[in-house]
Amino acid sequence: MNISLDKIVAELNKAKSVLIFPHERIDGDALGSSVAICIALRRLGKEAHILIEEELPTNLAFLDEGYCINEYSSDENLDVCLAVDCSDVSRLNNRKDVFLKGKITISLDHHFTNDYFADINYVNPKSAATAEVIYHILKEMDYPIDSKIAEALYAAITTDTGNFQYSNTSKETHLIIADLFDTGMDYNKVAVEIYQNVRPEQVKLVCMALSTMEIFCNGKANIAYVTQDMLKQFNATMDEADGVIEKLRDIRGIEIAIFLKEETNQVKVGLRAKAKADVSVIAYQFGGGGHKKAAGCLIEGTIEDAKKQIKESVQNYLANMKG
Amino acid sequence: MNISLDKIVAELNKAKSVLIFPHERIDGDALGSSVAICIALRRLGKEAHILIEEELPTNLAFLDEGYCINEYSSDENLDVCLAVDCSDVSRLNNRKDVFLKGKITISLDHHFTNDYFADINYVNPKSAATAEVIYHILKEMDYPIDSKIAEALYAAITTDTGNFQYSNTSKETHLIIADLFDTGMDYNKVAVEIYQNVRPEQVKLVCMALSTMEIFCNGKANIAYVTQDMLKQFNATMDEADGVIEKLRDIRGIEIAIFLKEETNQVKVGLRAKAKADVSVIAYQFGGGGHKKAAGCLIEGTIEDAKKQIKESVQNYLANMKG
């Protein structure tokens, strides 16, 4: 159950120490939201840090001006442990135990699958990003949002909405961004940091992966893959192939895009739908899950094994799809 | 000099026939703005069309629901000829004579270089897109903006602002978009039409062009090219290589990106700057022009000739650049 924002603000105001927990595999919303609230709490005289467990993605690292720490150990219990953008406690991964030691645990999120795992929770599935929730917390705190905080919130919202193009974007999203302009934030600087920061190795990897594309089902589906050998060849990481699946989906006429990532003895399968298909149905057949337009699963074996099985499943799905 | 919006609205209200002129090499703003005003004028009982001179780009064609015509000839003079998103009369190209025959000519635009070529003009260089000007015209007309008009304005604004990331985007831009949400527009449908409509041939062309990339000046500049042979090889058009230069600029550490397009006996040179450089200075050395962050020029000869000259010029520029 949601608690009201003013009660969350009351808890934060009381606290002397707050440790902030963004979800594992940190993204723009998790980090931007965490940074925004961290800045505000510090300026209010509190001890505040963001506890992370991996390196920050390079294009987001500019947001961290000394807020993030990789370890926390103390005998003294923290006043507040604050989970940000986490749908359930498993998303805190290795940091779960530290989180649960907080005198009070709070969760701020926007995932509709959130299971209200903290002592007090505020989840708004209508928010395009958790940053919208943080924005309202800061307003409720009557804390003046400055350009630094605005840039962190902007980074969070622009990444989680696919630059305002995804269907989660709302009127409210644009009104919040309009309000952030009053701080004098340099949103263009944020865009340059996030989007104009691609390694040349990544460009090569993406082109190589795209060159494996095969179109089937009369142009309605396509499939491509990335192998461990390609990563070695270009000195690239698997994460750097992440954008390929959207490029596959963006091709004219494609309704379902499939992208395969080779792992040890198994293949990670990503699925995207453009308009009418529900790819979570296909992922579910292989024990995976996800949303209507974005889902995934694991298939044991080689790229060739996975390709055969997933293509067959997509072919069946499209043959039976109405409209 | 700008005339007030209410005087322009008075002229449009008086008119029985209006012919709308977007600029040549039509883009999202020119077409979206033209469609929005065309719909409104028709619903007010006027005869209104959009006169174009090329085929519409495939990913924008969905906006034209019977508004665009390729020819106009009549002995009767039109009440209003309305130029949309044109900085000067040359941007009407082959349609210039038809335009000038209007009983009254009006220009609505947002280019700061606009030379006020029509009988009455309204130019707002602070608007991120001409669609923002059209939005205010419709408000001034007290015309209720419906979802169809909103989608045309959305298409115009999202393309002209690079999905709200370019530095022309303002608080006003987001407030207008927020207001358009009230019409129930399907902005996500617009995004799918515009961005998820790429020909597979284009993907191959872009990858081939990117594979020619050479990085120089200690990682601060890069250069790539597209040849007529590549177009033939992939059955692609030169326009389909348009996005390559942004991908070159988006690479980490690159301050100046150069993209060469092979034409007959000459090379079209595109230049982009990421942050501090002013590439219009370089374009100017070759008789070209443009803006600080985006400029272009023509160099006679082969790709190799152009490459040598432009690389030298960029090397000199970067060697002397401060900061």
Side-chain angles (χ1 to χ4, degrees):
Chain A
M1 208 193 68
N2 272 349
I3 198 164
S4 62
L5 284 182
D6 61 314
K7 285 190 183 142
I8 289 177
V9 167
E11 289 297 338
L12 291 173
N13 279 337
K14 268 196 297 186
K16 282 185 184 155
S17 58
V18 180
L19 194 56
I20 302 162
F21 294 73
H23 64 69
E24 55 162 350
R25 290 181 58 93
I26 196 164
D27 64 9
D29 189 20
L31 181 61
S33 294
S34 297
V35 166
I37 190 80
C38 188
I39 297 175
L41 291 170
R42 285 192 181 183
R43 296 221 181 121
L44 291 168
K46 297 165 197 313
E47 197 192 311
H49 284 99
I50 303 167
L51 184 62
I52 57 172
E53 60 185 80
E54 317 115 319
E55 254 186 272
L56 296 176
T58 331
N59 65 339
L60 296 174
F62 74 100
L63 289 169
D64 177 26
E65 299 190 346
Y67 314 118
C68 294
I69 53 175
N70 285 289
E71 270 182 62
Y72 181 84
S73 61
S74 165
D75 293 335
E76 217 178 308
N77 284 1
L78 286 148
D79 293 334
V80 170
C81 283
L82 175 65
V84 169
D85 203 33
C86 298
S87 54
D88 57 85
V89 80
S90 75
R91 302 231 55 199
L92 298 177
N93 208 21
N94 298 326
R95 297 161 297 157
K96 191 178 144 182
D97 293 342
V98 183
F99 178 76
L100 294 173
K101 272 189 207 153
K103 288 183 197 157
I104 185 162
T105 61
I106 304 179
S107 161
L108 300 175
D109 187 29
H110 76 127
H111 292 95
F112 81 101
T113 52
N114 190 295
D115 65 4
Y116 293 77
F117 59 89
D119 295 332
I120 60 177
N121 303 272
Y122 184 85
V123 182
N124 187 353
K126 285 189 183 158
S127 293
T130 295
E132 293 190 9
V133 175
I134 302 291
Y135 169 86
H136 288 296
I137 292 268
L138 295 174
K139 287 284 174 186
E140 182 70 37
M141 279 171 130
D142 218 8
Y143 182 84
I145 297 180
D146 64 13
S147 64
K148 222 25 145 202
I149 292 176
E151 285 162 13
L153 294 174
Y154 184 86
I157 294 174
T158 200
T159 52
D160 240 35
T161 59
N163 299 346
F164 311 101
Q165 305 296 313
Y166 295 164
S167 46
N168 59 351
T169 315
S170 69
K171 176 177 182 173
E172 165 95 2
T173 310
H174 285 283
L175 288 176
I176 290 174
I177 298 292
D179 187 42
L180 296 179
F181 270 77
D182 287 340
T183 66
M185 68 166 172
D186 190 348
Y187 65 92
N188 188 242
K189 182 190 75 184
V190 174
V192 168
E193 290 281 0
I194 294 179
Y195 300 114
Q196 301 185 21
N197 211 347
V198 180
R199 292 203 314 142
E201 290 84 353
Q202 180 174 11
V203 175
K204 286 176 192 161
L205 179 74
V206 167
C207 280
M208 175 61 127
L210 285 171
S211 76
T212 70
M213 179 178 71
E214 206 180 288
I215 297 181
F216 62 104
C217 280
N218 295 318
K220 285 194 191 127
N222 58 7
I223 186 164
Y225 58 85
V226 59
T227 63
Q228 294 295 328
D229 273 352
M230 291 181 198
L231 301 184
K232 271 180 219 146
Q233 185 182 342
F234 298 116
N235 185 26
T237 63
M238 198 50 105
D239 284 356
E240 292 183 303
D242 275 348
V244 172
I245 193 159
E246 278 77 28
K247 290 185 201 295
L248 293 172
R249 178 208 58 201
D250 287 353
I251 287 175
R252 185 176 302 170
I254 295 299
E255 181 53 35
I256 296 182
I258 313 166
F259 188 54
L260 309 177
K261 290 176 172 179
E262 185 185 45
E263 297 184 347
T264 315
N265 301 325
Q266 66 177 12
V267 175
K268 199 169 166 188
V269 181
L271 295 156
R272 291 291 182 279
K274 185 175 283 172
K276 294 174 201 155
D278 178 354
V279 285
S280 71
V281 173
I282 300 163
Y284 191 73
Q285 292 168 5
F286 294 92
H291 307 280
K292 214 176 157 223
K293 290 190 174 176
C297 57
L298 286 171
I299 297 182
E300 278 182 34
T302 65
I303 288 275
E304 279 312 310
D305 298 333
K307 201 168 163 180
K308 194 170 167 294
Q309 293 176 54
I310 193 78
K311 273 182 72 175
E312 210 171 275
S313 174
V314 166
Q315 265 157 346
N316 285 335
Y317 179 88
L318 284 173
N320 294 311
M321 194 175 81
K322 283 167 196 159
Chain B
M1 207 193 68
N2 273 348
I3 198 164
S4 62
L5 283 182
D6 61 315
K7 285 188 184 145
I8 289 177
V9 167
E11 288 296 338
L12 291 172
N13 280 337
K14 266 195 297 184
K16 283 185 183 156
S17 58
V18 180
L19 195 56
I20 302 162
F21 295 73
H23 63 69
E24 56 161 350
R25 290 181 58 94
I26 196 164
D27 63 10
D29 189 20
L31 181 60
S33 295
S34 296
V35 166
I37 190 81
C38 188
I39 296 175
L41 292 170
R42 284 192 182 183
R43 297 221 181 120
L44 292 169
K46 297 166 197 313
E47 198 193 310
H49 284 98
I50 303 166
L51 184 62
I52 58 172
E53 61 185 79
E54 318 115 317
E55 254 186 89
L56 296 175
T58 332
N59 66 339
L60 297 174
F62 74 100
L63 289 170
D64 177 27
E65 300 190 346
Y67 313 118
C68 293
I69 53 174
N70 284 290
E71 269 182 61
Y72 181 85
S73 61
S74 164
D75 292 336
E76 217 178 309
N77 283 2
L78 287 149
D79 293 334
V80 170
C81 283
L82 175 65
V84 169
D85 202 33
C86 298
S87 55
D88 58 86
V89 81
S90 76
R91 301 233 53 201
L92 299 177
N93 208 19
N94 298 325
R95 297 160 298 156
K96 188 177 145 184
D97 293 343
V98 183
F99 178 77
L100 295 173
K101 271 188 206 153
K103 287 181 197 161
I104 185 162
T105 60
I106 303 179
S107 161
L108 299 175
D109 187 29
H110 76 127
H111 292 95
F112 81 100
T113 51
N114 189 294
D115 67 3
Y116 293 77
F117 58 89
D119 295 331
I120 60 177
N121 303 271
Y122 183 85
V123 182
N124 187 353
K126 285 189 183 158
S127 294
T130 295
E132 293 191 8
V133 174
I134 303 290
Y135 169 86
H136 289 296
I137 292 270
L138 295 174
K139 288 283 175 188
E140 182 71 36
M141 279 170 129
D142 217 9
Y143 182 84
I145 297 180
D146 64 14
S147 63
K148 219 35 145 195
I149 292 176
E151 285 162 13
L153 294 174
Y154 184 85
I157 293 173
T158 200
T159 52
D160 240 35
T161 59
N163 299 345
F164 310 102
Q165 305 297 312
Y166 295 163
S167 47
N168 60 351
T169 315
S170 69
K171 176 177 184 175
E172 164 94 2
T173 309
H174 286 282
L175 289 176
I176 289 173
I177 298 293
D179 187 42
L180 295 180
F181 269 76
D182 287 339
T183 66
M185 68 165 172
D186 190 348
Y187 66 91
N188 188 243
K189 183 191 75 184
V190 173
V192 168
E193 289 281 359
I194 294 179
Y195 300 115
Q196 302 185 20
N197 211 347
V198 180
R199 292 203 316 141
E201 292 83 353
Q202 181 174 8
V203 175
K204 287 176 191 160
L205 180 74
V206 167
C207 280
M208 175 61 130
L210 285 171
S211 76
T212 70
M213 179 178 71
E214 205 181 289
I215 297 181
F216 62 104
C217 279
N218 296 320
K220 284 196 192 127
N222 58 6
I223 186 165
Y225 58 85
V226 58
T227 64
Q228 293 295 328
D229 274 351
M230 292 180 196
L231 301 185
K232 272 181 219 145
Q233 186 183 342
F234 298 115
N235 186 26
T237 62
M238 197 51 106
D239 284 357
E240 292 183 304
D242 276 347
V244 173
I245 194 159
E246 278 77 28
K247 291 186 200 297
L248 294 171
R249 177 208 59 201
D250 287 353
I251 287 176
R252 185 175 303 170
I254 295 298
E255 181 54 35
I256 296 181
I258 314 166
F259 188 53
L260 308 177
K261 291 177 172 176
E262 184 187 45
E263 298 184 347
T264 315
N265 301 323
Q266 64 177 14
V267 175
K268 201 170 162 185
V269 181
L271 295 157
R272 292 290 181 278
K274 185 174 283 173
K276 294 176 201 153
D278 178 354
V279 285
S280 71
V281 173
I282 299 162
Y284 191 73
Q285 292 169 5
F286 294 91
H291 307 282
K292 213 174 159 225
K293 290 190 176 176
C297 57
L298 287 171
I299 298 183
E300 277 182 37
T302 65
I303 288 275
E304 279 313 309
D305 297 334
K307 201 169 164 179
K308 193 171 169 293
Q309 293 177 54
I310 194 78
K311 274 182 71 175
E312 210 173 276
S313 175
V314 166
Q315 265 156 346
N316 285 335
Y317 180 89
L318 283 173
N320 293 311
M321 193 175 81
K322 282 167 197 160

